[in-house]
Amino acid sequence: MSQLLLKSVWLENERRDIRIADGVFKTIAPAGTLTADVPNVYELDCRHMAIVPAFYNTHTHAAMTFIRGLADDVPLKVWLEKHIWPREAKLSADDVYVASKYAILEMIRSGTVFFADMYWHRTQTIRAAEEMGVRASIGVTFADVLKPDTSENVQFLAENVSKYQNRIRLAVAPHAIYTNTARSLKMCAECSEKYRIPLHVHLAETRGEEKGSVDSTEGRSPVEYLDSLGLLSNRTVAAHVVYVSEKDLDILTERGVTVAHNPCSNMKLASGTFNAKPFVDRGIRLSLGTDGASSNNNLDMREEMKFASLLAKMTSGDSTLLSAKETLKIATQNGAEAFGFHAGKIEEGWLADALLLNLKAPCFAVGDVISNWVYAANSSVIDTVICDGNILMQHRVIPFADDIEKEFRERFNESRWRL
Ligand SMILES: [Zn+2]
């Protein structure tokens, strides 16, 4: 891996030179003080750039790009049962590979270098993420109501957890309480414990979720039910978590659960209003996710940040809640921590995942860079995307992007009859 030298980049109100080597920020020094001291140093003139941490999308279903825009403006239950599940059942492994690559292209363009995925045909998503150079937590999805035989999942974990320990890692992903028996949920908890890997689950997304639980919750809330089965720990990343009681919040706090907030999806499906205040007040770690492209309908984490911040302010009546800086941390560092990556900060020794923003864009003309990044910009201001010390996009160009787009369109047109 060659070294990168970022010259005179804007970092927290100062101009800095940054040396990136071995996938981490090696040296950060005043501008004009670092020079290329070894061969194969790739130097970037960053006089018109600001550096910020890259996004960690902690809840998505990448291959849903294949069914984007096919079922909008319908209730969640109808959306899932009439439109999404029947179509997903027809998706082939190759469809998932092509759609995942297409999704990752969109993620890179909008500044995301990590995604936590939960879907079928996981080996195809792994292949796509490996080829595209991003990081990912690939969920091994359990939903024994839809796929009763869970032994293959258990075997896959046993054979592959140790194989995926770096850029790509595995997680246990029980889909939800309405798609899993208690037995299957318990098995997920055991796998997460045994392999010390994250457990990624949809939780309390809609009102009355417990009524749809496969096995009776015996009057417990979805949070209490999962806790009773041993699924909640500091390895758990629970997506949505819209409907919670005080008791639920106590449990989430005690167990150290991370909550992946998905404001756009919650609003679009009218699942409910996520109120960030009690989570923030209790110190529950929040991260951000886009959810899939058929309930968002894009994978743009910058947009998600703005929605999260504005929604938090509106629901709480507190305009200081989820400030630009805090929201950026939620969308980057918190997500990285939840999945065990030492990333999300531009500091020496941290993983070199970063974005270079074009400060010539009109939204950066005056005011604070981070405020403008969260509230005023759009993802077109991202000039360069760096993941693991490698450049994935420079001057908005991603190698092979045209081929990936062409392949996606061709496959979609070929498979239209199947979907
Ligand atoms: Zn989801």
Side-chain angles (χ1 to χ4, degrees):
M1 191 186 291
S2 61
Q3 281 194 15
L4 289 181
L5 186 56
L6 312 182
K7 296 285 290 178
S8 202
V9 70
W10 189 254
L11 170 62
E12 293 170 4
N13 300 320
E14 283 184 279
R15 296 251 158 234
R16 299 290 198 170
D17 288 349
I18 300 178
R19 187 190 312 283
I20 294 172
D22 304 323
V24 298
F25 298 112
K26 275 274 187 257
T27 317
I28 301 179
T33 58
L34 294 184
T35 50
D37 55 1
V38 290
N40 297 324
V41 175
Y42 186 64
E43 200 170 302
L44 285 86
D45 175 359
C46 298
R47 276 174 296 173
H48 303 291
M49 309 276 182
I51 189 166
V52 292
F55 294 123
Y56 273 61
N57 184 348
T58 56
H59 179 68
T60 191
H61 315 280
M64 282 183 115
T65 48
F66 218 80
I67 42 181
R68 167 163 37 203
L70 297 180
D72 292 327
D73 312 317
V74 294
L76 184 134
K77 197 171 155 57
V78 176
W79 175 78
L80 256 185
E81 293 176 5
K82 291 230 160 59
H83 298 282
I84 299 303
W85 288 345
R87 283 186 167 114
E88 285 181 336
K90 294 178 189 167
L91 284 175
S92 70
D94 282 348
D95 292 336
V96 168
Y97 169 64
V98 172
S100 296
K101 270 205 301 190
Y102 189 73
I104 296 168
L105 202 57
E106 181 176 337
M107 291 183 207
I108 295 172
R109 283 190 177 124
S110 51
T112 293
V113 299
F114 165 91
F115 66 104
D117 203 68
M118 183 195 291
Y119 216 61
W120 307 115
H121 302 298
R122 59 190 164 243
T123 51
Q124 301 305 316
T125 315
I126 290 173
R127 190 177 146 211
E130 278 181 332
E131 286 177 16
M132 300 287 287
V134 292
R135 301 183 195 277
S137 166
I138 305 294
V140 173
T141 305
F142 285 72
D144 65 339
V145 163
L146 304 171
K147 295 198 176 172
D149 182 12
T150 52
S151 61
E152 192 269 333
N153 276 353
V154 175
Q155 195 183 341
F156 181 85
L157 285 165
E159 289 169 2
N160 290 281
V161 166
S162 58
K163 196 168 138 194
Y164 295 104
Q165 295 282 346
N166 294 312
R167 199 158 51 74
I168 313 286
R169 300 179 189 179
L170 299 181
V172 190
H175 175 266
I177 64 170
Y178 53 88
T179 44
N180 281 281
T181 59
R183 182 183 156 274
S184 174
L185 292 169
K186 266 189 198 161
M187 197 184 295
C188 291
E190 284 162 19
C191 289
S192 170
E193 169 77 32
K194 180 173 179 187
Y195 300 115
R196 316 301 292 174
I197 54 176
L199 186 146
H200 180 188
V201 61
H202 291 102
L203 178 59
E205 180 175 1
T206 52
R207 191 189 299 281
E209 188 176 275
E210 63 279 7
K211 290 187 202 116
S213 178
V214 180
D215 288 328
S216 170
T217 67
E218 292 168 2
R220 298 184 187 95
S221 72
V223 170
E224 291 172 286
Y225 179 55
L226 283 195
D227 192 43
S228 73
L229 297 173
L231 274 81
L232 303 186
S233 76
N234 59 5
R235 291 184 307 279
T236 308
V237 178
H240 301 285
V241 198
V242 176
Y243 293 96
V244 281
S245 65
E246 288 290 312
K247 190 176 173 194
D248 290 337
L249 287 162
D250 287 344
I251 294 171
L252 295 170
T253 311
E254 208 171 296
R255 300 283 181 247
V257 170
T258 298
V259 170
H261 176 29
N262 297 256
C264 288
S265 177
N266 293 343
M267 287 194 271
K268 183 164 178 288
L269 293 170
S271 310
T273 307
F274 181 89
N275 182 5
K277 192 162 174 54
F279 293 87
V280 172
D281 286 350
R282 286 165 190 264
I284 294 171
R285 180 162 58 204
L286 290 179
S287 62
L288 270 193
T290 57
D291 214 348
S294 56
S295 65
N296 187 298
N297 282 3
N298 63 36
L299 306 172
D300 187 334
M301 284 285 286
R302 199 223 61 86
E303 211 175 85
E304 210 70 28
M305 281 199 298
K306 180 168 177 175
F307 276 106
S309 176
L310 300 196
L311 181 67
K313 295 173 196 312
M314 193 186 76
T315 51
S316 65
D318 177 0
S319 62
T320 67
L321 191 65
L322 292 202
S323 66
K325 208 174 160 196
E326 180 61 18
T327 308
L328 179 61
K329 180 173 175 280
I330 285 171
T332 57
Q333 189 187 338
N334 283 15
E337 279 172 2
F339 284 92
F341 291 90
H342 189 54
K345 269 190 176 183
I346 314 296
E347 282 187 13
E348 289 178 2
W350 286 60
L351 291 175
D353 294 350
L355 311 179
L356 298 177
L357 307 181
N358 178 8
L359 293 178
K360 286 182 180 168
C363 63
F364 291 121
V366 294
D368 178 73
V369 169
I370 299 303
S371 276
N372 289 334
W373 172 224
V374 176
Y375 298 129
N378 61 51
S379 57
S380 71
V381 307
I382 303 167
D383 179 272
T384 298
V385 176
I386 299 168
C387 176
D388 205 19
N390 297 310
I391 293 177
L392 302 186
M393 177 174 87
Q394 189 175 18
H395 307 321
R396 298 209 56 75
V397 175
I398 301 172
F400 309 111
D402 291 349
D403 296 341
I404 293 166
E405 281 170 350
K406 185 166 171 276
E407 192 183 16
F408 178 83
R409 283 175 195 284
E410 283 175 0
R411 178 158 285 272
F412 181 76
N413 289 335
E414 275 167 23
S415 20
R416 197 186 294 268
W417 65 272
R418 287 190 281 123
L419 298 169

